Amino acid sequence: MEGNKQCQPESTMETNNNGITNTPESNTSPQLPKCMQTLCELLSEDPYPTDFQITILRVDDDDDDADESDDKFVPLFIKDGTHLGFHAGDLPRFVGIVRKFYYDLRQKRLLGAFGDTVNSSFSSKTFDELVMASTTCLLLCCPDHSTAWADRKRVLECNADSIIDDMICNETRFGNLLFTQHSKAPSSWSHRRWIHQRRRNYYYSEHVIDAGASIMNQYTACERFLDYVKSEVEICDRVASSFPKNYYAWTYRIVVVRDFVRNICDLSDNRCIVLGFKLLQNEIKIIENKWLTRHVSDHSASHYGTMVLRLLVDLNFNSLSFCTESIRSMLKYVFGRIEFIRPIIASFPSHEVLWKYRRMNISTYMYLLDRLFNQCLSGEAKDELNDVGFLINDIGIKTEIYNNFSSEIRMSLCCFDNFESFMTARKGIVDSAELNHTRINSFTYLFWLSALLQASTATNKYLMGIGDGDLSRLLEVKEDLIDLTYKRLINHNFFRKSKSIGIGEIAINPKTKKIIEK
């Protein structure tokens, strides 16, 4: 274990009012204060730390450091293998020293002390090194310091020849360390996205992932970029596991996955499309088996799952294997995601996140049907689809789609009507707040589903042209659904005698009530 490293100051150095140590020679660049040197040394030693924590490392109060000058002050650091600890009691003074050094350094830059001109005292390379060192110390304590992040970007962009290596080996590694202590810092995730954009441009602009490259080069480059995507996904998963409901981690994760999928759609190598399918299906499996079953209130994770499913549908339409069997398989797979969430909702019906996940997935299912119906009716579909015409002539497909929507309605009505008896049988007691939220969620879903069926392109263009098909009955579902839900609202005394008809946390105004009564 290495702790509280001491660095003896040389007798030739003197300190100015800003805490920056300079040598008497006028042409010598500023030196980092001792506390910053200690931290930079710990970060440069092998192994590089992968875990950083600001915590209490000593119980007894030691006031000896208070009498030390800034150039001699060294906070308590402890490094044990890949773990780096920083004593929280030393944080205020350390941050003050780092800020003074950093701001004075920027001021010298503005005054022309650094640069390649004749009047410059120090080289631009020296300034870049000091900026990277000072911002590293500052951002470990203040991760949302946007000016520090902006200066790091400028340094990286000025070193264009080695920018990729710097980002991969240094910035990515530094970001991983930072997220272990500051997992929800917006500026840190914004910088991470900036790094990703440069990495993506490197692969898709400079590294032969384009439609004109050879098939072998396309697949090789895709595999290399996929390895990078998986490493980023792993980091996001680790951060989200340690700090749940992390909006920034899930947002960055969908950006990385979406960039990979969208850029392989135009490639001529079908193996690249297969890589995209496997990645998306694996992500959906992780969301369902790991997150929705354990984190029923994590909206960021559920929203990520719905976006990945939509990407999978779009990728299927852009793939070269767009045929009858693939469409059947996709319809079954998408609705399978809706069926998966039903038992979880039955166990936790008052959690709105699960109902939203269900709603977004049924929206994706309708989106898939709309695209298929529109292609059939407009004649713009591929030859396989036009020749078969199975969506128009296959009664089994029609019945299956109708049964899918019918089962959704029955399940929602069951939650609305029978949840009280279900909870009584399971626990013996009924939580009135949970019961109220369950009815709110189920009614909201039913009303939304009925509006979706009415407004859908599929029902307006395709189903209207089928007079005798079973699927045409979906047009009547909306009227029956509104009638059933409205009667249940009256039976459960959800409507109040006021201008704004309150349903728990949902308020239905008189205009909306008239629409319901129609």
PDB file of all heavy atoms in Angstrom, residues 422-444:
ATOM      1  N   PHE A 422     -56.834 -10.047  -6.426  1.00  0.00           N
ATOM      2  CA  PHE A 422     -55.533 -10.703  -6.565  1.00  0.00           C
ATOM      3  C   PHE A 422     -54.620 -10.341  -5.397  1.00  0.00           C
ATOM      4  O   PHE A 422     -53.946 -11.187  -4.812  1.00  0.00           O
ATOM      5  CB  PHE A 422     -54.876 -10.298  -7.896  1.00  0.00           C
ATOM      6  CG  PHE A 422     -53.436 -10.702  -8.015  1.00  0.00           C
ATOM      7  CD1 PHE A 422     -53.087 -12.014  -8.269  1.00  0.00           C
ATOM      8  CD2 PHE A 422     -52.435  -9.757  -7.878  1.00  0.00           C
ATOM      9  CE1 PHE A 422     -51.750 -12.387  -8.382  1.00  0.00           C
ATOM     10  CE2 PHE A 422     -51.100 -10.120  -7.984  1.00  0.00           C
ATOM     11  CZ  PHE A 422     -50.761 -11.440  -8.230  1.00  0.00           C
ATOM     12  N   MET A 423     -54.564  -9.070  -5.036  1.00  0.00           N
ATOM     13  CA  MET A 423     -53.729  -8.635  -3.933  1.00  0.00           C
ATOM     14  C   MET A 423     -54.233  -9.191  -2.605  1.00  0.00           C
ATOM     15  O   MET A 423     -53.445  -9.555  -1.728  1.00  0.00           O
ATOM     16  CB  MET A 423     -53.703  -7.113  -3.870  1.00  0.00           C
ATOM     17  CG  MET A 423     -52.943  -6.457  -5.004  1.00  0.00           C
ATOM     18  SD  MET A 423     -51.192  -6.828  -4.962  1.00  0.00           S
ATOM     19  CE  MET A 423     -50.707  -6.043  -3.432  1.00  0.00           C
ATOM     20  N   THR A 424     -55.548  -9.305  -2.456  1.00  0.00           N
ATOM     21  CA  THR A 424     -56.110  -9.858  -1.229  1.00  0.00           C
ATOM     22  C   THR A 424     -55.705 -11.311  -1.062  1.00  0.00           C
ATOM     23  O   THR A 424     -55.346 -11.764   0.025  1.00  0.00           O
ATOM     24  CB  THR A 424     -57.637  -9.723  -1.237  1.00  0.00           C
ATOM     25  OG1 THR A 424     -57.983  -8.346  -1.392  1.00  0.00           O
ATOM     26  CG2 THR A 424     -58.224 -10.261   0.055  1.00  0.00           C
ATOM     27  N   ALA A 425     -55.732 -12.071  -2.170  1.00  0.00           N
ATOM     28  CA  ALA A 425     -55.366 -13.487  -2.103  1.00  0.00           C
ATOM     29  C   ALA A 425     -53.875 -13.665  -1.854  1.00  0.00           C
ATOM     30  O   ALA A 425     -53.449 -14.626  -1.220  1.00  0.00           O
ATOM     31  CB  ALA A 425     -55.768 -14.185  -3.401  1.00  0.00           C
ATOM     32  N   ARG A 426     -53.055 -12.721  -2.323  1.00  0.00           N
ATOM     33  CA  ARG A 426     -51.614 -12.871  -2.196  1.00  0.00           C
ATOM     34  C   ARG A 426     -51.087 -12.374  -0.850  1.00  0.00           C
ATOM     35  O   ARG A 426     -50.227 -12.981  -0.243  1.00  0.00           O
ATOM     36  CB  ARG A 426     -50.908 -12.110  -3.317  1.00  0.00           C
ATOM     37  CG  ARG A 426     -49.415 -12.423  -3.417  1.00  0.00           C
ATOM     38  CD  ARG A 426     -48.769 -11.700  -4.574  1.00  0.00           C
ATOM     39  NE  ARG A 426     -48.745 -10.246  -4.381  1.00  0.00           N
ATOM     40  CZ  ARG A 426     -48.084  -9.401  -5.171  1.00  0.00           C
ATOM     41  NH1 ARG A 426     -47.429  -9.868  -6.222  1.00  0.00           N
ATOM     42  NH2 ARG A 426     -48.114  -8.109  -4.932  1.00  0.00           N
ATOM     43  N   LYS A 427     -51.625 -11.264  -0.362  1.00  0.00           N
ATOM     44  CA  LYS A 427     -51.091 -10.656   0.866  1.00  0.00           C
ATOM     45  C   LYS A 427     -52.096 -10.605   2.005  1.00  0.00           C
ATOM     46  O   LYS A 427     -51.713 -10.477   3.152  1.00  0.00           O
ATOM     47  CB  LYS A 427     -50.612  -9.228   0.581  1.00  0.00           C
ATOM     48  CG  LYS A 427     -49.428  -9.154  -0.364  1.00  0.00           C
ATOM     49  CD  LYS A 427     -49.002  -7.694  -0.521  1.00  0.00           C
ATOM     50  CE  LYS A 427     -47.786  -7.572  -1.424  1.00  0.00           C
ATOM     51  NZ  LYS A 427     -47.372  -6.152  -1.590  1.00  0.00           N
ATOM     52  N   GLY A 428     -53.348 -10.665   1.652  1.00  0.00           N
ATOM     53  CA  GLY A 428     -54.367 -10.514   2.674  1.00  0.00           C
ATOM     54  C   GLY A 428     -54.766  -9.078   2.914  1.00  0.00           C
ATOM     55  O   GLY A 428     -55.751  -8.811   3.591  1.00  0.00           O
ATOM     56  N   ILE A 429     -53.990  -8.137   2.388  1.00  0.00           N
ATOM     57  CA  ILE A 429     -54.305  -6.719   2.525  1.00  0.00           C
ATOM     58  C   ILE A 429     -54.167  -6.056   1.161  1.00  0.00           C
ATOM     59  O   ILE A 429     -53.498  -6.558   0.265  1.00  0.00           O
ATOM     60  CB  ILE A 429     -53.389  -6.023   3.551  1.00  0.00           C
ATOM     61  CG1 ILE A 429     -51.918  -6.192   3.136  1.00  0.00           C
ATOM     62  CG2 ILE A 429     -53.608  -6.573   4.946  1.00  0.00           C
ATOM     63  CD1 ILE A 429     -50.961  -5.418   4.015  1.00  0.00           C
ATOM     64  N   VAL A 430     -54.805  -4.913   1.012  1.00  0.00           N
ATOM     65  CA  VAL A 430     -54.741  -4.160  -0.228  1.00  0.00           C
ATOM     66  C   VAL A 430     -54.268  -2.752   0.089  1.00  0.00           C
ATOM     67  O   VAL A 430     -54.876  -2.052   0.907  1.00  0.00           O
ATOM     68  CB  VAL A 430     -56.121  -4.106  -0.926  1.00  0.00           C
ATOM     69  CG1 VAL A 430     -56.024  -3.281  -2.195  1.00  0.00           C
ATOM     70  CG2 VAL A 430     -56.602  -5.514  -1.236  1.00  0.00           C
ATOM     71  N   ASP A 431     -53.187  -2.365  -0.543  1.00  0.00           N
ATOM     72  CA  ASP A 431     -52.670  -1.004  -0.401  1.00  0.00           C
ATOM     73  C   ASP A 431     -53.480  -0.107  -1.320  1.00  0.00           C
ATOM     74  O   ASP A 431     -53.479  -0.275  -2.545  1.00  0.00           O
ATOM     75  CB  ASP A 431     -51.189  -0.983  -0.777  1.00  0.00           C
ATOM     76  CG  ASP A 431     -50.547   0.366  -0.459  1.00  0.00           C
ATOM     77  OD1 ASP A 431     -51.289   1.342  -0.274  1.00  0.00           O
ATOM     78  OD2 ASP A 431     -49.308   0.432  -0.409  1.00  0.00           O
ATOM     79  N   SER A 432     -54.174   0.853  -0.725  1.00  0.00           N
ATOM     80  CA  SER A 432     -55.059   1.707  -1.522  1.00  0.00           C
ATOM     81  C   SER A 432     -54.268   2.523  -2.544  1.00  0.00           C
ATOM     82  O   SER A 432     -54.731   2.733  -3.668  1.00  0.00           O
ATOM     83  CB  SER A 432     -55.845   2.645  -0.599  1.00  0.00           C
ATOM     84  OG  SER A 432     -54.954   3.443   0.174  1.00  0.00           O
ATOM     85  N   ALA A 433     -53.077   2.980  -2.179  1.00  0.00           N
ATOM     86  CA  ALA A 433     -52.266   3.767  -3.114  1.00  0.00           C
ATOM     87  C   ALA A 433     -51.818   2.898  -4.286  1.00  0.00           C
ATOM     88  O   ALA A 433     -51.861   3.325  -5.449  1.00  0.00           O
ATOM     89  CB  ALA A 433     -51.052   4.352  -2.399  1.00  0.00           C
ATOM     90  N   GLU A 434     -51.409   1.673  -3.988  1.00  0.00           N
ATOM     91  CA  GLU A 434     -50.992   0.763  -5.059  1.00  0.00           C
ATOM     92  C   GLU A 434     -52.167   0.403  -5.953  1.00  0.00           C
ATOM     93  O   GLU A 434     -52.033   0.319  -7.182  1.00  0.00           O
ATOM     94  CB  GLU A 434     -50.369  -0.492  -4.447  1.00  0.00           C
ATOM     95  CG  GLU A 434     -49.755  -1.425  -5.484  1.00  0.00           C
ATOM     96  CD  GLU A 434     -49.036  -2.595  -4.845  1.00  0.00           C
ATOM     97  OE1 GLU A 434     -49.077  -2.725  -3.604  1.00  0.00           O
ATOM     98  OE2 GLU A 434     -48.431  -3.387  -5.596  1.00  0.00           O
ATOM     99  N   LEU A 435     -53.319   0.187  -5.346  1.00  0.00           N
ATOM    100  CA  LEU A 435     -54.516  -0.115  -6.127  1.00  0.00           C
ATOM    101  C   LEU A 435     -54.880   1.053  -7.032  1.00  0.00           C
ATOM    102  O   LEU A 435     -55.241   0.864  -8.208  1.00  0.00           O
ATOM    103  CB  LEU A 435     -55.675  -0.444  -5.182  1.00  0.00           C
ATOM    104  CG  LEU A 435     -57.033  -0.711  -5.840  1.00  0.00           C
ATOM    105  CD1 LEU A 435     -56.960  -1.930  -6.748  1.00  0.00           C
ATOM    106  CD2 LEU A 435     -58.104  -0.916  -4.768  1.00  0.00           C
ATOM    107  N   ASN A 436     -54.779   2.254  -6.520  1.00  0.00           N
ATOM    108  CA  ASN A 436     -55.110   3.436  -7.306  1.00  0.00           C
ATOM    109  C   ASN A 436     -54.142   3.602  -8.477  1.00  0.00           C
ATOM    110  O   ASN A 436     -54.564   3.863  -9.607  1.00  0.00           O
ATOM    111  CB  ASN A 436     -55.070   4.673  -6.408  1.00  0.00           C
ATOM    112  CG  ASN A 436     -55.620   5.906  -7.110  1.00  0.00           C
ATOM    113  OD1 ASN A 436     -56.609   5.823  -7.832  1.00  0.00           O
ATOM    114  ND2 ASN A 436     -54.989   7.036  -6.885  1.00  0.00           N
ATOM    115  N   HIS A 437     -52.854   3.423  -8.238  1.00  0.00           N
ATOM    116  CA  HIS A 437     -51.867   3.546  -9.306  1.00  0.00           C
ATOM    117  C   HIS A 437     -52.057   2.453 -10.355  1.00  0.00           C
ATOM    118  O   HIS A 437     -51.849   2.688 -11.549  1.00  0.00           O
ATOM    119  CB  HIS A 437     -50.454   3.478  -8.733  1.00  0.00           C
ATOM    120  CG  HIS A 437     -49.993   4.755  -8.103  1.00  0.00           C
ATOM    121  ND1 HIS A 437     -49.793   5.910  -8.821  1.00  0.00           N
ATOM    122  CD2 HIS A 437     -49.691   5.059  -6.812  1.00  0.00           C
ATOM    123  CE1 HIS A 437     -49.386   6.870  -8.017  1.00  0.00           C
ATOM    124  NE2 HIS A 437     -49.322   6.386  -6.792  1.00  0.00           N
ATOM    125  N   THR A 438     -52.445   1.264  -9.925  1.00  0.00           N
ATOM    126  CA  THR A 438     -52.679   0.173 -10.878  1.00  0.00           C
ATOM    127  C   THR A 438     -53.829   0.516 -11.819  1.00  0.00           C
ATOM    128  O   THR A 438     -53.733   0.311 -13.034  1.00  0.00           O
ATOM    129  CB  THR A 438     -52.990  -1.124 -10.120  1.00  0.00           C
ATOM    130  OG1 THR A 438     -51.872  -1.458  -9.298  1.00  0.00           O
ATOM    131  CG2 THR A 438     -53.262  -2.262 -11.095  1.00  0.00           C
ATOM    132  N   ARG A 439     -54.891   1.039 -11.278  1.00  0.00           N
ATOM    133  CA  ARG A 439     -56.041   1.397 -12.117  1.00  0.00           C
ATOM    134  C   ARG A 439     -55.703   2.578 -13.032  1.00  0.00           C
ATOM    135  O   ARG A 439     -56.150   2.624 -14.183  1.00  0.00           O
ATOM    136  CB  ARG A 439     -57.237   1.732 -11.225  1.00  0.00           C
ATOM    137  CG  ARG A 439     -57.841   0.481 -10.580  1.00  0.00           C
ATOM    138  CD  ARG A 439     -58.913   0.817  -9.574  1.00  0.00           C
ATOM    139  NE  ARG A 439     -59.567  -0.392  -9.085  1.00  0.00           N
ATOM    140  CZ  ARG A 439     -60.390  -0.431  -8.046  1.00  0.00           C
ATOM    141  NH1 ARG A 439     -60.646   0.681  -7.374  1.00  0.00           N
ATOM    142  NH2 ARG A 439     -60.930  -1.566  -7.674  1.00  0.00           N
ATOM    143  N   ILE A 440     -54.926   3.507 -12.524  1.00  0.00           N
ATOM    144  CA  ILE A 440     -54.501   4.632 -13.365  1.00  0.00           C
ATOM    145  C   ILE A 440     -53.670   4.129 -14.530  1.00  0.00           C
ATOM    146  O   ILE A 440     -53.894   4.503 -15.690  1.00  0.00           O
ATOM    147  CB  ILE A 440     -53.707   5.652 -12.529  1.00  0.00           C
ATOM    148  CG1 ILE A 440     -54.617   6.358 -11.528  1.00  0.00           C
ATOM    149  CG2 ILE A 440     -53.021   6.673 -13.435  1.00  0.00           C
ATOM    150  CD1 ILE A 440     -53.875   7.250 -10.561  1.00  0.00           C
ATOM    151  N   ASN A 441     -52.695   3.263 -14.249  1.00  0.00           N
ATOM    152  CA  ASN A 441     -51.812   2.749 -15.300  1.00  0.00           C
ATOM    153  C   ASN A 441     -52.570   1.927 -16.330  1.00  0.00           C
ATOM    154  O   ASN A 441     -52.347   2.057 -17.539  1.00  0.00           O
ATOM    155  CB  ASN A 441     -50.695   1.909 -14.674  1.00  0.00           C
ATOM    156  CG  ASN A 441     -49.726   2.730 -13.856  1.00  0.00           C
ATOM    157  OD1 ASN A 441     -49.538   3.918 -14.098  1.00  0.00           O
ATOM    158  ND2 ASN A 441     -49.095   2.104 -12.871  1.00  0.00           N
ATOM    159  N   SER A 442     -53.458   1.065 -15.858  1.00  0.00           N
ATOM    160  CA  SER A 442     -54.190   0.207 -16.795  1.00  0.00           C
ATOM    161  C   SER A 442     -55.158   1.025 -17.651  1.00  0.00           C
ATOM    162  O   SER A 442     -55.268   0.800 -18.861  1.00  0.00           O
ATOM    163  CB  SER A 442     -54.951  -0.881 -16.029  1.00  0.00           C
ATOM    164  OG  SER A 442     -55.843  -0.304 -15.088  1.00  0.00           O
ATOM    165  N   PHE A 443     -55.856   1.990 -17.040  1.00  0.00           N
ATOM    166  CA  PHE A 443     -56.767   2.813 -17.826  1.00  0.00           C
ATOM    167  C   PHE A 443     -56.004   3.662 -18.842  1.00  0.00           C
ATOM    168  O   PHE A 443     -56.413   3.797 -19.997  1.00  0.00           O
ATOM    169  CB  PHE A 443     -57.588   3.722 -16.914  1.00  0.00           C
ATOM    170  CG  PHE A 443     -58.313   4.799 -17.665  1.00  0.00           C
ATOM    171  CD1 PHE A 443     -59.425   4.503 -18.439  1.00  0.00           C
ATOM    172  CD2 PHE A 443     -57.866   6.113 -17.619  1.00  0.00           C
ATOM    173  CE1 PHE A 443     -60.087   5.494 -19.151  1.00  0.00           C
ATOM    174  CE2 PHE A 443     -58.519   7.110 -18.332  1.00  0.00           C
ATOM    175  CZ  PHE A 443     -59.629   6.798 -19.096  1.00  0.00           C
ATOM    176  N   THR A 444     -54.891   4.246 -18.409  1.00  0.00           N
ATOM    177  CA  THR A 444     -54.089   5.061 -19.329  1.00  0.00           C
ATOM    178  C   THR A 444     -53.629   4.235 -20.511  1.00  0.00           C
ATOM    179  O   THR A 444     -53.658   4.693 -21.660  1.00  0.00           O
ATOM    180  CB  THR A 444     -52.872   5.647 -18.595  1.00  0.00           C
ATOM    181  OG1 THR A 444     -53.323   6.415 -17.471  1.00  0.00           O
ATOM    182  CG2 THR A 444     -52.059   6.547 -19.512  1.00  0.00           C
TER     183      THR A 444
END
